[in-house]
Amino acid sequence: MNAFSGLVVLTAVAMVGITGAPAWASSGEEPSGGRPASRQAPAGSIVSYVRDQAGRPLPGAVVSAVGRRIVTSVTDERGRCEFDALPAGDYLVRVHREGFVPATSLLVLGGQGASSTWSFVLKRQPERAVTASEVRRSSAVLTASIVPTPSVSAAEPEPAGADDETSHDHGEVAWRLKHLKRHILKDATTRIVFEEGTDPQAFDEAVARMFATRRSGPAQVVASLFSEFPLAGQVNLLTTGAFDSPEQLVSAGSLARGVAMVSLGAAAGRSGDWAVHGAMTQGDVASWMVSGSYLSRAPATHVYDVGMSYSVQRYDGANPVALAAVADGSRYAGVVYAFDSWTLNERVSVQYGARYATYGYIEESLFSPRLRLRVTPVDGLRLSVGASRRALAPGAEEFVPSMALGTWLPPERTFSPITGGGQFVPARTEHFDFSAERDLNASTVLGVRAFYQQSTDQIATLFGADAGERPAANLGHYYVGTAGDVDASGWTISLRRVIARRVRGSIDYTVATARWHETALSRELSARVPNLARTGVERLHDVTTSIETELPVTETRVFALYRINTGYASAGADGIEPSVDARFDVQITQSLPFMNFANAQWEMLLGVRNLFRDIVDEGSIYDELLVVRPPKRVVGGLTLRF
């Protein structure tokens, strides 16, 4: 391995809240760094403080956040709850506590590596004693107020203890009340008090009548569907397609198809949360995917993240190229992963773990370990060093869920090899880096990173062009090949800051030097597609900018990323040559408040991008550069978070 040649990257992020500036911008709390949205960045956090109307902390309140992860926790004695290690994205935060009116949902716009602090004020439910014969009366649901206060300090005074209850009924009726399913009574504004000696059978009948009364009529059934369901989650009803030209956008060639996705999660005991995701689509490529995960709650000495996913793709179309590639009619992929974030002390932590994947069209299994050490020598300065080995299968992007749009898209395209004698050859990248981040002020972070990587059997991807004697690939099918082995080293410098009250942006500049090594497979690729496989030494320059903003009047959120690089593979008259080119990613999310239920948030999503892969720090710098003529992908539809 060569020595590091430079210094790199990163990052900074400012979390812009729904109603104001980031929490740490006014409180002086330390912000966390982050990378551009197309990169894997340090995870962010959401801190919640729950108080009653008198300003007293409320311990034992249940707080949940639904977004790219589904997490729940309970407030401590200070009324504080923190969700750590959250991937960047939007999160719907809810607060419940027995005896208080449930808080209306708060949509938090989360940035990468950002920390946001919010304060919730819950109104106590009006209490009145009723007998069993009065239980069936309807209850009016009051609306709790949520007061986002970004200036909340982490150093909270010790709260008064919870209300003491000096009397306890140990009779059969009391036992049944205690063991009722929580969703039956959790939104009631009336406390149920039974007179001494009440017949247990009368109790059962009264509860049954109340349960039936509260759900009488279609409106009540719909309104209570998400407010009383014990799980939190997300439902997406989307349409997706691809196009190369505006004419294809409205033609059959766009391959538009519907996608249904469901995500559910809940607490798994007191120490963690579980989540399950599923998605499916139907068309000439019928596919589905399902996954499950478990994430232990932070803060903790060990924060575990384990899970699995399984995807299946079946081709029912008539494209002869796709039929030849998918000889048995279907393909599958399974992934199992486990990672641990071990906090040695408040300034030192170690992250380690691995991913194990198996693909039905590749004989060998792929193992990808990762290790990173993070140190905070002084406040405002963060250092990290990491090493990883990433194994990537050709076509893996069709089976591993991408979170670029915050949604899951099941396998939609077929692919076939153009090298290796018709066999798929996986690529492997060994990556080493050292990075440093410095908080310049409350809203700006500067980062640098140096990296070195060795890639064997680098993957090249070809859309819409002839592959030698093979027919041209269309939007629903592409070719993959091996471009050779490459060693690369370089550095990145990044700046990320809050530009205005509800606008934050980033820019990072990367310089890298790569040395290519010819192989038998790369020579085969050059024979079929001239100049796609590269040789010699190459110097790359990359500029990536991103901007995120929110329009509070219309509740519209916009994210845009633009990447320029001197090494993109571009098709020309004499073959494929490296040249200056650009890729983009635009996402617009529009809230639909007129469609909301009591505890659910409707949103409309529209996204357009021609970035083919999600860019990760541990991956090869050429993973995206060697994608020829990637089609533009459009996704639109409705999202319901509950």
Side-chain angles (χ1 to χ4, degrees), residues 84-85 295-305 338-353 370-375:
D84 202 357
L295 178 66
S296 55
R297 296 183 187 135
T301 303
H302 291 273
V303 177
Y304 300 106
D305 184 5
F339 295 94
D340 175 29
S341 181
W342 180 15
T343 301
L344 303 178
N345 55 54
E346 62 180 6
R347 295 193 179 275
V348 181
S349 65
V350 179
Q351 296 176 342
Y352 61 94
R370 188 170 67 210
L371 174 67
R372 181 167 294 276
L373 173 67
R374 299 183 185 276
V375 180

Side-chain angles (χ1 to χ4, degrees), residues 88-368:
D90 302 337
Y91 288 86
L92 192 69
V93 181
R94 298 186 299 170
V95 179
H96 298 271
R97 191 184 189 278
E98 187 176 0
F100 292 80
V101 179
T104 54
S105 303
L106 172 66
L107 189 63
V108 176
L109 179 62
Q112 296 181 349
S115 178
S116 179
T117 303
W118 300 90
S119 179
F120 294 82
V121 178
L122 299 187
K123 293 181 180 179
R124 186 176 293 276
Q125 292 176 345
E127 299 181 356
R128 65 182 183 88
V130 297
T131 63
S133 61
E134 298 176 312
V135 172
R136 61 180 178 272
R137 295 180 182 176
S138 300
S139 301
V141 179
L142 302 180
T143 302
S145 63
I146 296 180
V147 182
T149 55
S151 61
V152 173
S153 172
E156 291 292 314
E158 290 297 327
D163 296 339
D164 294 331
E165 296 187 12
T166 58
S167 60
H168 301 278
D169 184 358
H170 300 285
E172 182 176 359
V173 171
W175 184 92
R176 296 192 183 202
L177 274 173
K178 182 178 180 181
H179 291 81
L180 274 177
K181 290 185 177 179
R182 190 173 187 277
H183 68 267
I184 296 178
L185 303 176
K186 88 173 184 181
D187 287 334
T189 60
T190 302
R191 186 177 63 179
I192 304 172
V193 179
F194 286 88
E195 298 172 351
E196 185 177 356
T198 301
D199 183 5
Q201 182 176 357
F203 164 80
D204 293 339
E205 294 174 354
V207 171
R209 285 195 299 271
M210 183 192 72
F211 190 79
T213 301
R214 295 191 67 201
R215 285 157 178 75
S216 60
Q220 286 79 5
V221 172
V222 174
S224 63
L225 176 62
F226 296 106
S227 64
E228 299 184 351
F229 197 61
L231 299 177
Q234 177 176 325
V235 177
N236 290 342
L237 301 176
L238 307 172
T239 299
T240 179
F243 64 96
D244 262 338
S245 62
E247 294 78 14
Q248 288 181 330
L249 182 60
V250 293
S251 68
S254 64
L255 299 174
R257 53 172 57 86
V259 177
M261 186 202 100
V262 177
S263 177
L264 298 174
R270 297 182 178 180
S271 59
D273 304 278
W274 63 265
V276 294
H277 309 269
M280 65 177 297
T281 185
Q282 184 66 40
D284 56 352
V285 178
S287 58
W288 58 268
M289 61 172 54
V290 64
S291 82
S293 63
Y294 170 83
L295 178 66
S296 55
R297 296 183 187 135
T301 303
H302 291 273
V303 177
Y304 300 106
D305 184 5
V306 297
M308 58 78 62
S309 68
Y310 188 80
S311 306
V312 175
Q313 175 194 77
R314 180 173 182 83
Y315 183 68
D316 296 321
N319 185 344
V321 180
L323 290 174
V326 191
D328 56 356
S330 63
R331 287 172 173 158
Y332 72 87
V335 178
V336 178
Y337 65 89
F339 295 94
D340 175 29
S341 181
W342 180 15
T343 301
L344 303 178
N345 55 54
E346 62 180 6
R347 295 193 179 275
V348 181
S349 65
V350 179
Q351 296 176 342
Y352 61 94
R355 183 182 302 268
Y356 178 85
T358 178
Y359 298 85
Y361 54 92
I362 294 178
E363 295 182 357
E364 58 183 315
S365 299
L366 304 181
F367 182 69
S368 302

Side-chain angles (χ1 to χ4, degrees), residues 289 313 395-400 409-413 415 478 612:
M289 61 172 54
Q313 175 194 77
E397 58 278 347
E398 297 297 326
F399 297 97
V400 178
L409 299 176
E412 296 182 87
R413 294 166 293 206
F415 50 92
Y478 57 90
F612 183 67

Side-chain angles (χ1 to χ4, degrees), residues 234-239 259-261 407 589-592 594-595 601-606 635-641:
Q234 177 176 325
V235 177
N236 290 342
L237 301 176
L238 307 172
T239 299
V259 177
M261 186 202 100
T407 59
T589 304
Q590 173 63 59
S591 176
L592 303 175
F594 55 86
M595 298 178 61
Q601 174 79 37
W602 281 98
E603 297 176 353
M604 181 177 67
L605 168 70
L606 175 64
V635 177
L638 293 177
T639 296
L640 175 63
R641 304 172 191 264

Side-chain angles (χ1 to χ4, degrees), residues 481-544:
T482 300
D485 302 340
V486 59
D487 302 336
S489 61
W491 55 268
T492 302
I493 182 168
S494 296
L495 182 68
R496 195 168 185 87
R497 63 166 292 137
V498 176
I499 302 173
R501 180 179 176 86
R502 290 184 173 86
V503 181
R504 59 180 177 268
S506 70
I507 181 170
D508 44 325
Y509 173 64
T510 301
V511 176
T513 301
R515 183 180 297 275
W516 285 92
H517 307 282
E518 191 179 46
T519 65
L521 293 176
S522 66
R523 288 191 292 269
E524 180 183 354
L525 179 64
S526 293
R528 297 179 180 275
V529 186
N531 304 326
L532 179 55
R534 302 182 183 180
T535 59
V537 177
E538 185 176 21
R539 190 169 180 83
L540 303 174
H541 297 266
D542 183 284
V543 177
T544 301

